[in-house]
Amino acid sequence: MEEEKDRMIERIHLVGNSSILSGSNLGKEIDSCPVVRINTAPTSGHEQDVGGRTDARVICGGLQMEAQTGWLSSISGETLILYPTPEDVRKNAQRYTSEDNSLRYLRSGALEAWAKFLDKSPLEESPTSGLYGAWFLSQVAEQVHLYGFGFYESSESHYYWKDVKSDHEGHEPHIEKLILKNMSNVLIKMKTPNEIKNSGSKIT
């Protein structure tokens, strides 16, 4: 166990897509260690708030589908962490991913560990890419710091880079928030919209 711990990354920052990042001025802090982003989240023009570094991305099942091959092939020089999908969907993502990217996905024992994690959780709906990313990274890092996780609490835009309202149909963000808070090596670094209303501060 000590040998395994020695191989773990000290800290990783997982950056969500919430509009609570807008005006946060957290870019330098976010970029201070390896950064993982979620799906298609951009950095250009938003560096002051979200940073400019991207070492990896968590890719949801929808972005692994045939219709997204153009986007997949446009990503270069990043590690792509694939959300668990049926084998044919994963192979499609592999087929269209640029050769200078590195793919990571769950196999056998790790896939069973993810399934056990979900079985023990109170979730009844599908987990988000954010929850999967946090769990995945918690297996390889001593600390996972989360930025830009709004848990759908804001009535404003769901994304920091575009004005799009989004509901949480098919997900349970309030339960995921509790799950993440109870993970020993995961820390939510930004207050959620409901917490901001009470404190006036975005940093915990």
Side-chain angles (χ1 to χ4, degrees), residues 121-159:
S121 80
L123 282 175
E124 295 183 359
E125 301 286 351
S126 299
T128 63
S129 299
L131 179 62
Y132 172 67
W135 178 86
F136 184 100
L137 296 173
S138 74
Q139 309 303 299
V140 299
E142 294 179 15
Q143 297 179 53
V144 181
H145 289 185
L146 308 183
Y147 295 84
F149 277 59
F151 301 101
Y152 295 87
E153 291 180 7
S154 175
S155 59
E156 300 176 0
S157 175
H158 180 59
Y159 302 104

Side-chain angles (χ1 to χ4, degrees), residues 14 18 43 51 56 70 84 90 127 140 148 174 193:
L14 176 61
S18 173
T43 57
R90 172 177 56 77
V140 299
H174 58 296

Side-chain angles (χ1 to χ4, degrees), residues 17-22 38-42 44-46 50 63 68 71 154-166:
N17 300 337
S18 173
S19 59
I20 63 172
L21 281 163
S22 298
I38 297 176
N39 296 321
T40 62
S44 179
H46 307 278
V50 307
L63 289 175
Q68 300 295 334
W71 181 81
S154 175
S155 59
E156 300 176 0
S157 175
H158 180 59
Y159 302 104
Y160 64 79
W161 70 92
K162 60 181 178 180
D163 186 13
V164 174
K165 304 294 189 297
S166 179

Side-chain angles (χ1 to χ4, degrees), residues 84-152:
T85 56
E87 186 177 8
D88 61 324
V89 176
R90 172 177 56 77
K91 286 186 174 180
N92 178 72
Q94 290 176 288
R95 187 179 307 116
Y96 290 99
T97 299
S98 173
E99 291 183 359
D100 64 352
N101 291 318
S102 175
L103 286 181
R104 296 287 184 271
Y105 56 91
L106 301 183
R107 301 176 178 86
S108 56
L111 196 57
E112 291 176 8
W114 168 241
K116 287 180 180 178
F117 172 79
L118 292 180
D119 287 343
K120 291 179 180 179
S121 80
L123 282 175
E124 295 183 359
E125 301 286 351
S126 299
T128 63
S129 299
L131 179 62
Y132 172 67
W135 178 86
F136 184 100
L137 296 173
S138 74
Q139 309 303 299
V140 299
E142 294 179 15
Q143 297 179 53
V144 181
H145 289 185
L146 308 183
Y147 295 84
F149 277 59
F151 301 101
Y152 295 87

